[in-house]
Amino acid sequence: MLGTWHALELCRAGYAVQHLEANAAPQGASVRNFGLLWVSGRRSGAELDAAQRARHRWEEVGNDIAGIGFRATGSLTVACTPGERKVMEEFAAHADAAARGITYVEPEELRARNPAVQGDVTGALHCVHDAVVEPRRALGALRDYLSARGSYTYHPGRTVVGIEERALIDVTGTRWEADLVVVATGSAFDSLPGTERVAARLRRVRLQMLETERFARTVTTALADADTLRYYPAYAVVPLDALGAQGPVAAVHHLQLLLVQRADGGLTIGDTHAYDEPFDFALDEQPSTELLARAERLLGVPLPPVARRWEGVYAQCIDGDVCAREELSPGVWMVTGPGGRGMTCAPAIAADTLRLAGA
Ligand SMILES: Cc1cc2nc3c(=O)[nH]c(=O)nc-3n(C[C@H](O)[C@H](O)[C@H](O)COP(=O)(O)OP(=O)(O)OC[C@H]3O[C@@H](n4cnc5c(N)ncnc54)[C@H](O)[C@@H]3O)c2cc1C
């Protein structure tokens, strides 16, 4: 998604773009995510600013390219205990809530906004800015749009192995020269020579996800549970003690519930976080069972069968920057490490690269 958004902004700025991709089709974090454009949880400052600019750009482009599947659904972060409700009410009273378009809603209003939530809930944070795109389709839709405009060529199956001044070398030995080169290799951030300094600012995080068959009802907003308050930095401005201790399975797997209904009706449900490499090659059933039980409790009805499960790995910048962006060699910029906000922030990250590179 980072590479593709850079391509889009470069084409818009008048450049002709050659887009190299190692695989026959993208298989990285950008096709494995929820497709959540999550403004609500962002840290105040540069991160929130990037998310807000990006959200605006996603909507603009989403209106032109239907295949992205942009929907301004908003989100509900749902409380199920009095303690969770207390924390959410406190956050809603903080100035940071208004900056993110977040208000506290009682169960009645919650159900009016999302009638699919039939479980026993005590309230929710409603964020009007959160939105959704379709991760399996968005990259292809963006590429088709760019290809049709003539100044963009996509080259799948071209693994880059070397970096030179204003040039890349691919595995066949072909040299790709350009006025500006953007290297957006996602979690493969340490696979190229000369990337050691950037790699030192990054870590990989592995997540587990699943998707159900078509859910008969319409889930009108994205949904999250109160464990997300522990992970998203926005909520650090209020005391979280009233949430109580995290459940044992959730604590081991750094688990939170996020749920999005896909355009075809399936429910994407996640996620977990593992930080220590080497990652397990196997998908662990225990957190999946926990996530399904939480989703079922929230919706108050049995879920359809699970249709697919997968893992995903993203690169995360560990020094607090929105992403790691460095000029590796004259005219060659590496951009990666947006962590769990890469889908959300990609348009703004691309715009910032062009500005910094003077493009
Ligand atoms: C399970 C999961 C859920 C997530 N949910 C969300 C969400 O809902 N909202 C959100 O904002 N963020 C989310 N994220 C984070 C987001 O998906 C990532 O931050 C983002 O997709 C990263 O994009 P990227 O382009 O940097 O990396 P990638 O998508 O990994 O793309 C990198 C590309 O570079 C290619 N490549 C690598 N090396 C080479 C090479 N040497 N030569 C040529 N090509 C190469 C790869 O093949 C790949 O296609 C989630 C991540 C995961 C894993």
Side-chain angles (χ1 to χ4, degrees), residues 18-347:
Q18 306 294 323
H19 186 175
L20 312 184
E21 163 57 47
N23 289 315
Q27 295 175 3
S30 303
V31 293
R32 293 169 183 248
N33 61 50
F34 292 94
L36 284 171
L37 309 179
W38 204 246
V39 177
S40 54
R42 305 279 72 99
R43 191 191 308 278
S44 290
E47 187 178 314
L48 178 61
D49 172 65
Q52 286 171 330
R53 285 185 287 131
R55 166 66 175 77
H56 178 72
R57 191 78 183 107
W58 267 116
E59 182 157 11
E60 240 173 32
V61 171
N63 287 337
D64 280 349
I65 312 174
I68 290 173
F70 175 88
R71 274 120 56 216
T73 56
S75 74
L76 288 164
T77 298
V78 180
C80 295
T81 68
E84 292 171 0
R85 175 193 166 110
K86 179 172 178 284
V87 174
M88 290 187 195
E89 280 180 316
E90 219 167 313
F91 181 75
H94 195 282
D96 281 15
R100 291 161 181 75
I102 292 179
T103 50
Y104 179 78
V105 293
E106 295 290 354
E108 197 179 326
E109 189 183 343
L110 186 169
R111 291 205 177 88
R113 291 188 179 279
N114 192 338
V117 180
Q118 291 297 318
D120 197 11
V121 299
T122 55
L125 290 174
H126 176 244
C127 176
V128 75
H129 297 312
D130 287 341
V132 173
V133 295
E134 290 299 306
R136 282 166 181 265
R137 300 198 330 232
L139 289 173
L142 286 165
R143 289 198 308 266
D144 289 349
Y145 170 84
L146 289 173
S147 298
R149 291 160 71 96
S151 56
Y152 170 85
T153 314
Y154 183 55
H155 303 274
R158 290 278 181 174
T159 303
V160 171
V161 294
I163 293 169
E164 294 180 358
E165 192 170 320
R166 289 178 216 290
L168 294 176
I169 314 296
D170 76 25
V171 74
T172 69
T174 305
R175 184 182 157 86
W176 300 79
E177 287 182 26
D179 297 319
L180 173 66
V181 177
V182 177
V183 177
T185 48
S187 58
F189 53 77
D190 47 4
S191 63
L192 291 171
T195 54
E196 295 78 9
R197 210 162 59 115
V198 187
R201 300 175 55 198
L202 296 161
R203 69 172 171 181
R204 276 175 277 266
V205 182
R206 174 191 181 267
L207 289 69
Q208 279 193 197
M209 307 277 285
L210 58 89
E211 204 163 289
T212 71
E213 290 175 7
R214 190 177 166 279
F215 186 59
R217 301 186 189 179
T218 304
V219 184
T220 52
T221 69
L223 293 172
D225 76 2
D227 266 343
T228 59
L229 305 183
R230 303 178 198 269
Y231 299 112
Y232 286 118
Y235 304 108
V237 295
V238 293
L240 299 177
D241 311 341
L243 294 178
Q246 203 175 17
V249 175
V252 167
H253 295 280
H254 308 283
L255 178 150
Q256 60 182 359
L257 176 70
L258 290 167
L259 185 154
V260 184
Q261 189 166 39
R262 298 269 64 94
D264 67 5
L267 303 177
T268 305
I269 296 173
D271 55 15
T272 60
H273 300 90
Y275 305 101
D276 297 327
E277 295 191 51
F279 298 130
D280 196 342
F281 61 86
L283 293 174
D284 193 331
E285 200 53 23
Q286 197 183 36
S288 300
T289 305
E290 169 78 11
L291 286 166
L292 287 166
R294 287 185 182 203
E296 216 157 69
R297 269 204 304 276
L298 218 59
L299 297 174
V301 292
L303 295 180
V306 173
R308 52 187 79 89
R309 299 166 198 265
W310 68 95
E311 62 168 9
V313 176
Y314 61 64
Q316 183 181 47
C317 194
I318 49 180
D319 55 18
D321 276 357
V322 174
C323 66
R325 182 191 292 103
E326 289 194 23
E327 193 171 16
L328 298 176
S329 157
V332 180
W333 290 75
M334 182 160 185
V335 188
T336 185
R341 55 193 173 220
M343 200 70 172
T344 304
C345 294

